Amino acid sequence: MIVTLTPNPSLDRTVTVERLTLGEVHRVTSGRIDPGGKGINVSRALAAQGGDTLAVLPVGGAEGGLLTRLLDEAGVAHRDVAIGGTARMNVAVVEPGGRTTKVNEAGPQMTPAEVDALLAATLDAARGARWVVGCGSLPPGAPTSLYADLVASARSLGVRVAIDSSGAPLPAAVAAGPSLIKPNHEELAELVGHALPRLGDVVAAARELVAGGVELVVVSLGADGAVAVDADSVCWTAATIERPLSTVGAGDCLLAGVLHTLDTGGSLADALTTGVRWGAAAVTLPGSRIPTPRDLAGIEVAAPQAPDAGLLLR
Ligand SMILES: Nc1ncnc2c1ncn2[C@@H]1O[C@H](COP(=O)(O)OP(=O)(O)O)[C@@H](O)[C@H]1O
Ligand SMILES: O=P(O)(O)OC[C@H]1O[C@](O)(COP(=O)(O)O)[C@@H](O)[C@@H]1O
């Protein structure tokens, strides 16, 4: 069982326009709404592939009601923690060719009691689970240490913790020694404090984090695939997608694929291959639609290999 915690879930509204021009009125050619937030997307991706998962989230307001209804419709088991605020709505504007502009709300103000209840519900759900995954930004009112606290508390229950976040909560969580982190290229550069133009720079930065106490670092690199680094090995792979439709949620699908494979006893190379397959399949789908087994068919992933250190990343 993989438990996900999404402290700041969202309704993801995706609209497609011919061309985005600042200051202009745009006519939408297609639109959709999906339950969102990074942990929720991880649970959606796992559930879509028959995985055993439970999403823990704060729920408030009319938007929160719609969010849980959409999760029910998608067959995603969830544990709701009632809050006084209202779930946020994030907008993604997609242009033909896949360029995506995102506008994310900050999220509802949470009280200290609501934050405590959310963490307690997550730890309660995590008892007996193999993995607990903390993902995404934190809403106003949540302490920067929320994911670090999750790492420490889940570890004392014997549960492995994966973290996918950004900004100040990420270094705080890293200092607590999680089992896995999944930064993208930009997040990793911010974490180590310098630019990482080549694949070799990414591997060196990931090794630095492993030496500092993170068991496994999986770095997603968009069209350049993903690289996985632990104390014993490093591997890299990628998939070619001719016509990407929307990259929203691709990193979440990658993480779901990696965890699903590790959870079912697969090797690191298999986990990375599955993750890249799920992430690449996600970019072939509109909005933050999640790949089904049928969407994975036909996605060719290169055999994992030692990274080409000199490769200049896109
Ligand atoms: N243009 C693309 N072509 C092929 N695969 C892609 C593309 N964009 C993303 N992916 C796949 O999705 C994964 C996650 O994408 P990425 O953009 O790095 O993550 P995030 O959404 O966290 O920023 C990548 O590791 C890769 O497997
Ligand atoms: O919590 P954050 O960082 O604001 O991100 C939330 C957004 O991220 C998503 O999980 C998608 O992730 P990406 O945009 O990184 O692919 C959306 O569902 C959601 O709108």
mmCIF file of all heavy atoms in Angstrom, residues 187-234:
data_model
loop_
_atom_site.group_PDB
_atom_site.id
_atom_site.type_symbol
_atom_site.label_atom_id
_atom_site.label_comp_id
_atom_site.label_asym_id
_atom_site.label_seq_id
_atom_site.Cartn_x
_atom_site.Cartn_y
_atom_site.Cartn_z
ATOM 1 N N GLU A 187 14.384 22.099 -9.593
ATOM 2 C CA GLU A 187 14.315 21.938 -8.127
ATOM 3 C C GLU A 187 15.645 21.426 -7.567
ATOM 4 O O GLU A 187 16.082 21.845 -6.492
ATOM 5 C CB GLU A 187 13.173 20.979 -7.756
ATOM 6 C CG GLU A 187 11.791 21.589 -7.982
ATOM 7 C CD GLU A 187 10.675 20.560 -8.161
ATOM 8 O OE1 GLU A 187 10.949 19.337 -8.254
ATOM 9 O OE2 GLU A 187 9.511 20.988 -8.226
ATOM 10 N N LEU A 188 16.303 20.535 -8.330
ATOM 11 C CA LEU A 188 17.598 20.010 -7.861
ATOM 12 C C LEU A 188 18.637 21.130 -7.860
ATOM 13 O O LEU A 188 19.428 21.257 -6.911
ATOM 14 C CB LEU A 188 18.052 18.847 -8.753
ATOM 15 C CG LEU A 188 19.367 18.196 -8.332
ATOM 16 C CD1 LEU A 188 19.219 17.496 -6.975
ATOM 17 C CD2 LEU A 188 19.858 17.195 -9.379
ATOM 18 N N ALA A 189 18.626 21.955 -8.924
ATOM 19 C CA ALA A 189 19.591 23.069 -8.998
ATOM 20 C C ALA A 189 19.376 24.020 -7.821
ATOM 21 O O ALA A 189 20.333 24.492 -7.202
ATOM 22 C CB ALA A 189 19.433 23.792 -10.333
ATOM 23 N N GLU A 190 18.106 24.277 -7.487
ATOM 24 C CA GLU A 190 17.816 25.173 -6.362
ATOM 25 C C GLU A 190 18.283 24.544 -5.039
ATOM 26 O O GLU A 190 18.836 25.216 -4.178
ATOM 27 C CB GLU A 190 16.312 25.464 -6.323
ATOM 28 C CG GLU A 190 15.987 26.631 -5.395
ATOM 29 C CD GLU A 190 14.492 26.855 -5.237
ATOM 30 O OE1 GLU A 190 13.731 26.533 -6.167
ATOM 31 O OE2 GLU A 190 14.104 27.345 -4.160
ATOM 32 N N LEU A 191 18.087 23.236 -4.950
ATOM 33 C CA LEU A 191 18.453 22.534 -3.716
ATOM 34 C C LEU A 191 19.958 22.582 -3.461
ATOM 35 O O LEU A 191 20.399 22.782 -2.330
ATOM 36 C CB LEU A 191 17.966 21.081 -3.836
ATOM 37 C CG LEU A 191 17.930 20.198 -2.613
ATOM 38 C CD1 LEU A 191 17.105 20.841 -1.507
ATOM 39 C CD2 LEU A 191 17.328 18.839 -2.981
ATOM 40 N N VAL A 192 20.761 22.391 -4.533
ATOM 41 C CA VAL A 192 22.218 22.372 -4.313
ATOM 42 C C VAL A 192 22.840 23.758 -4.510
ATOM 43 O O VAL A 192 24.019 23.957 -4.240
ATOM 44 C CB VAL A 192 22.935 21.324 -5.212
ATOM 45 C CG1 VAL A 192 22.465 19.927 -4.847
ATOM 46 C CG2 VAL A 192 22.732 21.612 -6.689
ATOM 47 N N GLY A 193 22.034 24.715 -5.005
ATOM 48 C CA GLY A 193 22.499 26.103 -5.035
ATOM 49 C C GLY A 193 23.355 26.497 -6.223
ATOM 50 O O GLY A 193 24.015 27.524 -6.188
ATOM 51 N N HIS A 194 23.337 25.687 -7.299
ATOM 52 C CA HIS A 194 24.045 26.117 -8.514
ATOM 53 C C HIS A 194 23.434 25.457 -9.750
ATOM 54 O O HIS A 194 22.730 24.442 -9.635
ATOM 55 C CB HIS A 194 25.560 25.827 -8.425
ATOM 56 C CG HIS A 194 25.893 24.393 -8.134
ATOM 57 N ND1 HIS A 194 26.031 23.456 -9.114
ATOM 58 C CD2 HIS A 194 26.096 23.742 -6.962
ATOM 59 C CE1 HIS A 194 26.320 22.285 -8.564
ATOM 60 N NE2 HIS A 194 26.355 22.437 -7.247
ATOM 61 N N ALA A 195 23.734 26.042 -10.928
ATOM 62 C CA ALA A 195 23.166 25.522 -12.177
ATOM 63 C C ALA A 195 23.750 24.142 -12.499
ATOM 64 O O ALA A 195 24.884 23.830 -12.106
ATOM 65 C CB ALA A 195 23.478 26.495 -13.310
ATOM 66 N N LEU A 196 22.965 23.328 -13.205
ATOM 67 C CA LEU A 196 23.380 21.963 -13.541
ATOM 68 C C LEU A 196 23.174 21.749 -15.033
ATOM 69 O O LEU A 196 22.241 21.055 -15.457
ATOM 70 C CB LEU A 196 22.536 20.956 -12.738
ATOM 71 C CG LEU A 196 22.509 21.144 -11.207
ATOM 72 C CD1 LEU A 196 21.401 20.318 -10.562
ATOM 73 C CD2 LEU A 196 23.869 20.763 -10.616
ATOM 74 N N PRO A 197 24.041 22.356 -15.850
ATOM 75 C CA PRO A 197 23.774 22.319 -17.294
ATOM 76 C C PRO A 197 23.896 20.934 -17.936
ATOM 77 O O PRO A 197 23.210 20.638 -18.901
ATOM 78 C CB PRO A 197 24.812 23.285 -17.877
ATOM 79 C CG PRO A 197 25.861 23.451 -16.818
ATOM 80 C CD PRO A 197 25.196 23.201 -15.503
ATOM 81 N N ARG A 198 24.758 20.077 -17.407
ATOM 82 C CA ARG A 198 24.990 18.775 -18.047
ATOM 83 C C ARG A 198 24.510 17.617 -17.165
ATOM 84 O O ARG A 198 24.391 17.770 -15.947
ATOM 85 C CB ARG A 198 26.486 18.591 -18.352
ATOM 86 C CG ARG A 198 26.956 19.577 -19.401
ATOM 87 C CD ARG A 198 28.415 19.440 -19.731
ATOM 88 N NE ARG A 198 28.826 20.560 -20.556
ATOM 89 C CZ ARG A 198 28.704 20.608 -21.886
ATOM 90 N NH1 ARG A 198 28.218 19.568 -22.541
ATOM 91 N NH2 ARG A 198 29.066 21.684 -22.561
ATOM 92 N N LEU A 199 24.280 16.477 -17.809
ATOM 93 C CA LEU A 199 23.803 15.305 -17.057
ATOM 94 C C LEU A 199 24.789 14.937 -15.945
ATOM 95 O O LEU A 199 24.389 14.550 -14.842
ATOM 96 C CB LEU A 199 23.588 14.138 -18.031
ATOM 97 C CG LEU A 199 22.904 12.900 -17.488
ATOM 98 C CD1 LEU A 199 21.586 13.214 -16.780
ATOM 99 C CD2 LEU A 199 22.649 11.884 -18.612
ATOM 100 N N GLY A 200 26.081 15.097 -16.218
ATOM 101 C CA GLY A 200 27.100 14.798 -15.200
ATOM 102 C C GLY A 200 26.946 15.689 -13.969
ATOM 103 O O GLY A 200 27.191 15.247 -12.843
ATOM 104 N N ASP A 201 26.524 16.948 -14.185
ATOM 105 C CA ASP A 201 26.320 17.859 -13.046
ATOM 106 C C ASP A 201 25.138 17.380 -12.194
ATOM 107 O O ASP A 201 25.161 17.465 -10.965
ATOM 108 C CB ASP A 201 26.024 19.287 -13.538
ATOM 109 C CG ASP A 201 27.142 19.826 -14.413
ATOM 110 O OD1 ASP A 201 28.312 19.614 -14.054
ATOM 111 O OD2 ASP A 201 26.839 20.448 -15.460
ATOM 112 N N VAL A 202 24.099 16.884 -12.868
ATOM 113 C CA VAL A 202 22.909 16.379 -12.164
ATOM 114 C C VAL A 202 23.291 15.160 -11.323
ATOM 115 O O VAL A 202 22.909 15.043 -10.150
ATOM 116 C CB VAL A 202 21.793 16.032 -13.187
ATOM 117 C CG1 VAL A 202 20.708 15.177 -12.557
ATOM 118 C CG2 VAL A 202 21.218 17.310 -13.776
ATOM 119 N N VAL A 203 24.067 14.263 -11.922
ATOM 120 C CA VAL A 203 24.476 13.050 -11.192
ATOM 121 C C VAL A 203 25.327 13.429 -9.978
ATOM 122 O O VAL A 203 25.129 12.897 -8.870
ATOM 123 C CB VAL A 203 25.238 12.085 -12.136
ATOM 124 C CG1 VAL A 203 25.858 10.933 -11.350
ATOM 125 C CG2 VAL A 203 24.300 11.558 -13.216
ATOM 126 N N ALA A 204 26.240 14.397 -10.169
ATOM 127 C CA ALA A 204 27.110 14.811 -9.044
ATOM 128 C C ALA A 204 26.260 15.416 -7.921
ATOM 129 O O ALA A 204 26.491 15.132 -6.736
ATOM 130 C CB ALA A 204 28.151 15.814 -9.535
ATOM 131 N N ALA A 205 25.251 16.217 -8.294
ATOM 132 C CA ALA A 205 24.392 16.839 -7.276
ATOM 133 C C ALA A 205 23.588 15.765 -6.539
ATOM 134 O O ALA A 205 23.431 15.816 -5.316
ATOM 135 C CB ALA A 205 23.455 17.848 -7.941
ATOM 136 N N ALA A 206 23.084 14.782 -7.288
ATOM 137 C CA ALA A 206 22.305 13.705 -6.660
ATOM 138 C C ALA A 206 23.198 12.895 -5.709
ATOM 139 O O ALA A 206 22.784 12.519 -4.613
ATOM 140 C CB ALA A 206 21.689 12.806 -7.728
ATOM 141 N N ARG A 207 24.446 12.658 -6.139
ATOM 142 C CA ARG A 207 25.389 11.900 -5.272
ATOM 143 C C ARG A 207 25.651 12.648 -3.972
ATOM 144 O O ARG A 207 25.754 12.052 -2.907
ATOM 145 C CB ARG A 207 26.704 11.669 -6.014
ATOM 146 C CG ARG A 207 26.596 10.551 -7.035
ATOM 147 C CD ARG A 207 27.991 10.017 -7.388
ATOM 148 N NE ARG A 207 27.907 8.787 -8.144
ATOM 149 C CZ ARG A 207 28.364 8.622 -9.393
ATOM 150 N NH1 ARG A 207 28.960 9.628 -10.006
ATOM 151 N NH2 ARG A 207 28.222 7.466 -9.999
ATOM 152 N N GLU A 208 25.739 13.981 -4.093
ATOM 153 C CA GLU A 208 25.952 14.826 -2.903
ATOM 154 C C GLU A 208 24.801 14.596 -1.898
ATOM 155 O O GLU A 208 25.029 14.469 -0.695
ATOM 156 C CB GLU A 208 25.903 16.272 -3.390
ATOM 157 C CG GLU A 208 26.672 17.319 -2.627
ATOM 158 C CD GLU A 208 26.454 18.683 -3.307
ATOM 159 O OE1 GLU A 208 26.946 18.901 -4.440
ATOM 160 O OE2 GLU A 208 25.761 19.513 -2.715
ATOM 161 N N LEU A 209 23.579 14.514 -2.418
ATOM 162 C CA LEU A 209 22.404 14.333 -1.544
ATOM 163 C C LEU A 209 22.399 12.933 -0.925
ATOM 164 O O LEU A 209 22.036 12.755 0.239
ATOM 165 C CB LEU A 209 21.116 14.582 -2.332
ATOM 166 C CG LEU A 209 20.955 16.029 -2.798
ATOM 167 C CD1 LEU A 209 19.824 16.156 -3.812
ATOM 168 C CD2 LEU A 209 20.689 16.942 -1.599
ATOM 169 N N VAL A 210 22.809 11.944 -1.729
ATOM 170 C CA VAL A 210 22.875 10.564 -1.207
ATOM 171 C C VAL A 210 23.921 10.504 -0.092
ATOM 172 O O VAL A 210 23.679 9.909 0.974
ATOM 173 C CB VAL A 210 23.189 9.563 -2.349
ATOM 174 C CG1 VAL A 210 23.520 8.180 -1.797
ATOM 175 C CG2 VAL A 210 21.995 9.469 -3.312
ATOM 176 N N ALA A 211 25.061 11.167 -0.311
ATOM 177 C CA ALA A 211 26.105 11.188 0.725
ATOM 178 C C ALA A 211 25.588 11.875 1.988
ATOM 179 O O ALA A 211 26.000 11.548 3.104
ATOM 180 C CB ALA A 211 27.347 11.905 0.200
ATOM 181 N N GLY A 212 24.640 12.803 1.822
ATOM 182 C CA GLY A 212 24.090 13.536 2.959
ATOM 183 C C GLY A 212 22.964 12.797 3.677
ATOM 184 O O GLY A 212 22.403 13.317 4.642
ATOM 185 N N GLY A 213 22.547 11.619 3.166
ATOM 186 C CA GLY A 213 21.567 10.833 3.929
ATOM 187 C C GLY A 213 20.257 10.514 3.221
ATOM 188 O O GLY A 213 19.381 9.890 3.813
ATOM 189 N N VAL A 214 20.103 10.931 1.949
ATOM 190 C CA VAL A 214 18.895 10.526 1.206
ATOM 191 C C VAL A 214 19.225 9.189 0.539
ATOM 192 O O VAL A 214 20.240 9.064 -0.135
ATOM 193 C CB VAL A 214 18.519 11.564 0.119
ATOM 194 C CG1 VAL A 214 17.246 11.148 -0.597
ATOM 195 C CG2 VAL A 214 18.372 12.957 0.725
ATOM 196 N N GLU A 215 18.349 8.189 0.729
ATOM 197 C CA GLU A 215 18.681 6.856 0.200
ATOM 198 C C GLU A 215 18.703 6.809 -1.321
ATOM 199 O O GLU A 215 19.608 6.252 -1.924
ATOM 200 C CB GLU A 215 17.608 5.880 0.675
ATOM 201 C CG GLU A 215 18.119 4.743 1.511
ATOM 202 C CD GLU A 215 16.950 3.937 2.010
ATOM 203 O OE1 GLU A 215 16.499 3.047 1.274
ATOM 204 O OE2 GLU A 215 16.472 4.223 3.128
ATOM 205 N N LEU A 216 17.676 7.405 -1.929
ATOM 206 C CA LEU A 216 17.534 7.336 -3.392
ATOM 207 C C LEU A 216 17.063 8.684 -3.927
ATOM 208 O O LEU A 216 16.079 9.249 -3.427
ATOM 209 C CB LEU A 216 16.513 6.241 -3.744
ATOM 210 C CG LEU A 216 16.037 6.134 -5.191
ATOM 211 C CD1 LEU A 216 17.197 5.854 -6.139
ATOM 212 C CD2 LEU A 216 14.994 5.013 -5.325
ATOM 213 N N VAL A 217 17.777 9.178 -4.947
ATOM 214 C CA VAL A 217 17.384 10.446 -5.582
ATOM 215 C C VAL A 217 17.003 10.138 -7.030
ATOM 216 O O VAL A 217 17.806 9.581 -7.787
ATOM 217 C CB VAL A 217 18.546 11.471 -5.549
ATOM 218 C CG1 VAL A 217 18.141 12.771 -6.251
ATOM 219 C CG2 VAL A 217 18.966 11.760 -4.108
ATOM 220 N N VAL A 218 15.766 10.460 -7.390
ATOM 221 C CA VAL A 218 15.308 10.292 -8.773
ATOM 222 C C VAL A 218 15.069 11.702 -9.311
ATOM 223 O O VAL A 218 14.264 12.452 -8.763
ATOM 224 C CB VAL A 218 14.002 9.473 -8.839
ATOM 225 C CG1 VAL A 218 13.509 9.365 -10.287
ATOM 226 C CG2 VAL A 218 14.213 8.085 -8.245
ATOM 227 N N VAL A 219 15.807 12.059 -10.363
ATOM 228 C CA VAL A 219 15.685 13.410 -10.917
ATOM 229 C C VAL A 219 14.972 13.324 -12.257
ATOM 230 O O VAL A 219 15.424 12.620 -13.167
ATOM 231 C CB VAL A 219 17.071 14.066 -11.130
ATOM 232 C CG1 VAL A 219 16.908 15.537 -11.495
ATOM 233 C CG2 VAL A 219 17.946 13.904 -9.896
ATOM 234 N N SER A 220 13.843 14.041 -12.385
ATOM 235 C CA SER A 220 13.138 14.034 -13.665
ATOM 236 C C SER A 220 13.669 15.175 -14.518
ATOM 237 O O SER A 220 13.908 16.282 -14.028
ATOM 238 C CB SER A 220 11.633 14.146 -13.450
ATOM 239 O OG SER A 220 11.308 15.356 -12.814
ATOM 240 N N LEU A 221 13.870 14.874 -15.798
ATOM 241 C CA LEU A 221 14.578 15.796 -16.690
ATOM 242 C C LEU A 221 13.760 16.087 -17.945
ATOM 243 O O LEU A 221 14.329 16.298 -19.018
ATOM 244 C CB LEU A 221 15.941 15.185 -17.065
ATOM 245 C CG LEU A 221 16.890 14.909 -15.872
ATOM 246 C CD1 LEU A 221 18.041 14.002 -16.288
ATOM 247 C CD2 LEU A 221 17.428 16.222 -15.299
ATOM 248 N N GLY A 222 12.441 16.099 -17.838
ATOM 249 C CA GLY A 222 11.583 16.402 -18.985
ATOM 250 C C GLY A 222 11.886 15.484 -20.155
ATOM 251 O O GLY A 222 11.975 14.253 -19.997
ATOM 252 N N ALA A 223 12.096 16.067 -21.348
ATOM 253 C CA ALA A 223 12.358 15.265 -22.547
ATOM 254 C C ALA A 223 13.664 14.476 -22.437
ATOM 255 O O ALA A 223 13.884 13.530 -23.198
ATOM 256 C CB ALA A 223 12.393 16.171 -23.776
ATOM 257 N N ASP A 224 14.541 14.848 -21.517
ATOM 258 C CA ASP A 224 15.794 14.102 -21.316
ATOM 259 C C ASP A 224 15.626 12.937 -20.346
ATOM 260 O O ASP A 224 16.628 12.358 -19.892
ATOM 261 C CB ASP A 224 16.902 15.044 -20.837
ATOM 262 C CG ASP A 224 17.342 15.997 -21.941
ATOM 263 O OD1 ASP A 224 17.508 15.533 -23.083
ATOM 264 O OD2 ASP A 224 17.492 17.203 -21.669
ATOM 265 N N GLY A 225 14.385 12.609 -19.996
ATOM 266 C CA GLY A 225 14.117 11.401 -19.212
ATOM 267 C C GLY A 225 14.309 11.590 -17.727
ATOM 268 O O GLY A 225 13.857 12.582 -17.148
ATOM 269 N N ALA A 226 14.984 10.642 -17.097
ATOM 270 C CA ALA A 226 15.178 10.701 -15.642
ATOM 271 C C ALA A 226 16.418 9.901 -15.279
ATOM 272 O O ALA A 226 16.812 8.967 -15.983
ATOM 273 C CB ALA A 226 13.952 10.134 -14.919
ATOM 274 N N VAL A 227 17.012 10.287 -14.142
ATOM 275 C CA VAL A 227 18.197 9.593 -13.662
ATOM 276 C C VAL A 227 17.943 9.186 -12.204
ATOM 277 O O VAL A 227 17.263 9.916 -11.474
ATOM 278 C CB VAL A 227 19.457 10.482 -13.848
ATOM 279 C CG1 VAL A 227 19.397 11.740 -13.019
ATOM 280 C CG2 VAL A 227 20.724 9.742 -13.552
ATOM 281 N N ALA A 228 18.426 8.007 -11.816
ATOM 282 C CA ALA A 228 18.251 7.527 -10.440
ATOM 283 C C ALA A 228 19.623 7.250 -9.848
ATOM 284 O O ALA A 228 20.469 6.616 -10.490
ATOM 285 C CB ALA A 228 17.413 6.247 -10.423
ATOM 286 N N VAL A 229 19.828 7.757 -8.636
ATOM 287 C CA VAL A 229 21.132 7.602 -7.982
ATOM 288 C C VAL A 229 20.918 7.115 -6.548
ATOM 289 O O VAL A 229 20.162 7.744 -5.794
ATOM 290 C CB VAL A 229 21.892 8.953 -7.948
ATOM 291 C CG1 VAL A 229 23.237 8.813 -7.234
ATOM 292 C CG2 VAL A 229 22.091 9.514 -9.350
ATOM 293 N N ASP A 230 21.564 5.989 -6.187
ATOM 294 C CA ASP A 230 21.614 5.591 -4.777
ATOM 295 C C ASP A 230 23.068 5.314 -4.415
ATOM 296 O O ASP A 230 23.970 5.610 -5.215
ATOM 297 C CB ASP A 230 20.664 4.420 -4.470
ATOM 298 C CG ASP A 230 21.086 3.110 -5.114
ATOM 299 O OD1 ASP A 230 22.197 3.053 -5.684
ATOM 300 O OD2 ASP A 230 20.316 2.141 -5.040
ATOM 301 N N ALA A 231 23.307 4.738 -3.252
ATOM 302 C CA ALA A 231 24.688 4.582 -2.803
ATOM 303 C C ALA A 231 25.479 3.632 -3.698
ATOM 304 O O ALA A 231 26.701 3.731 -3.797
ATOM 305 C CB ALA A 231 24.692 4.069 -1.363
ATOM 306 N N ASP A 232 24.773 2.696 -4.379
ATOM 307 C CA ASP A 232 25.488 1.664 -5.140
ATOM 308 C C ASP A 232 25.445 1.845 -6.638
ATOM 309 O O ASP A 232 26.215 1.221 -7.363
ATOM 310 C CB ASP A 232 24.859 0.273 -4.848
ATOM 311 C CG ASP A 232 24.772 0.010 -3.375
ATOM 312 O OD1 ASP A 232 25.778 0.282 -2.700
ATOM 313 O OD2 ASP A 232 23.698 -0.427 -2.905
ATOM 314 N N SER A 233 24.476 2.611 -7.131
ATOM 315 C CA SER A 233 24.308 2.623 -8.586
ATOM 316 C C SER A 233 23.783 3.950 -9.097
ATOM 317 O O SER A 233 23.266 4.776 -8.329
ATOM 318 C CB SER A 233 23.345 1.502 -8.997
ATOM 319 O OG SER A 233 22.142 1.632 -8.265
ATOM 320 N N VAL A 234 23.901 4.115 -10.407
ATOM 321 C CA VAL A 234 23.314 5.272 -11.070
ATOM 322 C C VAL A 234 22.823 4.808 -12.438
ATOM 323 O O VAL A 234 23.518 4.075 -13.137
ATOM 324 C CB VAL A 234 24.313 6.450 -11.183
ATOM 325 C CG1 VAL A 234 25.686 6.020 -11.603
ATOM 326 C CG2 VAL A 234 23.804 7.530 -12.119
#
